């Protein structure tokens, strides 16, 4: 039905002319057809509700996938300093945005971070901030209470600061993979680090996969699959564009 479509929601990007967009599109996986839900508009009277055009933001689903929650991103530097740490949700059924009134200490504005949802919380890791510093902090956002809190580790070594990683939930663990350090032209290795939500500490994971996993990567797509992490594409260590699909089998 219209309130619970089966598909892929697309919000924002940079077009071929370098414009930051805030349009919303839905790709129906049953019909393989795109539908524009909201057109791009320059910010005007509805700026308090609709998000600015941006890229490098994150998105998760909420409320049985009838809503998509976005966080952060970057736009033209003339708009709000260029970097965001706002939280908004988009209802697929009503085609309306809601801007969250967040409480608690908030993450710094950033883009190129990673986010995922576990139960009724959104977790955010890493990214690049407005000072051009890479980050490796971990934050929890309680979706129903609209409250931020920084996740403090009780032990273990956090992944190094990075942009473009993935953050994938596997049970009570948040798995970090890949990412890069543009200043050093470094794409991170194949180590899997995870944060254990029960033990509140960072741990290393052993991983197995095909020959393709010898390629480190950044700005890829990743989802949980069969107790492991399914990865597609991204940019490799020499910044070539990748198009293989790899399943990482994970052991504690």
């Amino acid at each position: 039905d219209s309130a619970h479509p089966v598909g892929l929601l697309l919000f924002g990007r940079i077009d071929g002319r370098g414009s930051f967009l805030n349009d919303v599109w839905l790709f129906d996986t049953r019909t393989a057809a795109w539908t524009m839900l909201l057109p791009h508009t320059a910010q005007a009277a509805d700026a308090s509700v609709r998000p600015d055009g941006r890229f490098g933001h994150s998105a998760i689903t909420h409320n049985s996938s009838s809503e998509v929650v976005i966080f952060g991103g970057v736009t033209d530097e003339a708009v709000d300093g260029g970097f965001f740490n706002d939280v908004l949700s988009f209802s697929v059924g009503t085609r309306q945005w809601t801007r969250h009134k967040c409480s608690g200490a908030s993450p710094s504005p950033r883009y190129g971070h990673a986010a995922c949802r576990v139960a009724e919380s959104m977790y955010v890791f890493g990214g690049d901030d407005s000072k051009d510093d890479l980050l490796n902090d971990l934050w929890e956002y309680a979706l129903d209470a609209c409250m931020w809190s920084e996740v403090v580790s009780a032990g273990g070594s956090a992944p190094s600061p990075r942009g473009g990683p993935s953050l994938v939930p596997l049970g009570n663990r948040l798995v970090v993979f890949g990412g890069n350090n543009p200043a050093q032209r470094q794409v991170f290795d194949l180590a899997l680090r995870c944060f254990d939500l029960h033990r509140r500490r960072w741990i290393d994971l052993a991983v197995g996969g095909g020959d393709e996993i010898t390629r480190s990567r950044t700005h890829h797509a990743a989802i949980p699959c069969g107790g492991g992490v399914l990865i597609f594409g991204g940019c490799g260590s020499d910044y070539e564009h990748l198009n293989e699909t790899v399943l990482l089998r994970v052991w504690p």
Side-chain angles (χ1 to χ4, degrees):
D1 57 63
S2 60
H4 298 86
V6 178
L8 170 72
L9 195 78
L10 173 67
F11 162 74
R13 63 195 190 282
I14 302 178
D15 67 11
R17 297 170 294 181
S19 299
F20 294 83
L21 305 180
N22 66 351
D23 49 351
V24 182
W25 292 77
L26 178 69
F27 180 76
D28 191 317
T29 55
R30 297 165 299 187
T31 63
W34 284 99
T35 300
M36 183 174 67
L37 303 184
L38 287 177
H40 170 70
T41 61
Q43 290 299 15
D46 63 350
S48 63
V49 178
R50 286 194 68 176
D52 293 278
R54 64 188 69 191
F55 88 105
H57 50 283
S58 58
I60 63 160
T61 59
H62 183 45
N63 287 334
S64 301
S65 299
S66 64
E67 292 182 357
V68 173
V69 179
I70 70 164
F71 166 72
V74 67
T75 190
D76 188 293
E77 292 183 3
V79 180
D80 295 333
F83 289 75
F84 299 106
N85 66 344
D86 51 356
V87 180
L88 299 99
S89 57
F90 179 78
S91 169
V92 178
T94 65
R95 302 189 182 188
Q96 292 182 337
W97 285 99
T98 300
R99 186 175 293 273
H100 291 208
K101 296 180 179 180
C102 306
S103 60
S106 299
S108 59
R110 65 190 63 200
Y111 79 104
H113 52 279
C116 69
R117 180 174 65 88
V118 176
E120 297 306 310
S121 289
M122 174 175 69
Y123 290 89
V124 172
F125 171 79
D128 196 331
D129 69 8
S130 58
K131 301 176 183 177
D132 205 25
D133 291 330
L134 293 174
L135 306 168
N136 67 343
D137 48 352
L138 179 65
W139 291 80
E140 179 181 4
Y141 181 71
L143 290 160
D144 293 332
C146 296
M147 178 178 291
W148 282 107
S149 58
E150 186 169 7
V151 178
V152 178
S153 175
S157 298
S160 55
R162 63 191 65 194
S166 55
L167 184 68
V168 176
L170 290 181
N172 66 316
R173 300 176 295 183
L174 306 176
V175 179
V176 175
F177 175 74
N180 71 331
N181 183 331
Q184 300 179 8
R185 294 191 61 81
Q186 177 186 11
V187 176
F188 288 103
D189 60 24
L190 306 175
L192 279 181
R193 310 299 307 281
C194 84
F195 187 80
D196 189 308
L197 293 171
H198 289 171
R199 299 164 60 192
R200 310 302 286 182
R201 62 184 295 121
W202 288 99
I203 61 175
D204 295 322
L205 292 177
V207 60
D211 293 338
E212 295 86 353
I213 201 51
T214 57
R215 306 193 203 194
S216 52
R217 65 195 66 208
T218 183
H219 293 93
H220 49 282
I223 59 171
C225 180
V229 179
L230 188 68
I231 293 173
F232 172 74
C235 291
S237 57
D238 55 359
Y239 287 86
E240 82 278 19
H241 295 286
L242 307 175
N243 68 350
E244 72 265 21
T245 302
V246 180
L247 177 63
L248 303 183
R249 298 181 295 274
V250 176
W251 296 275

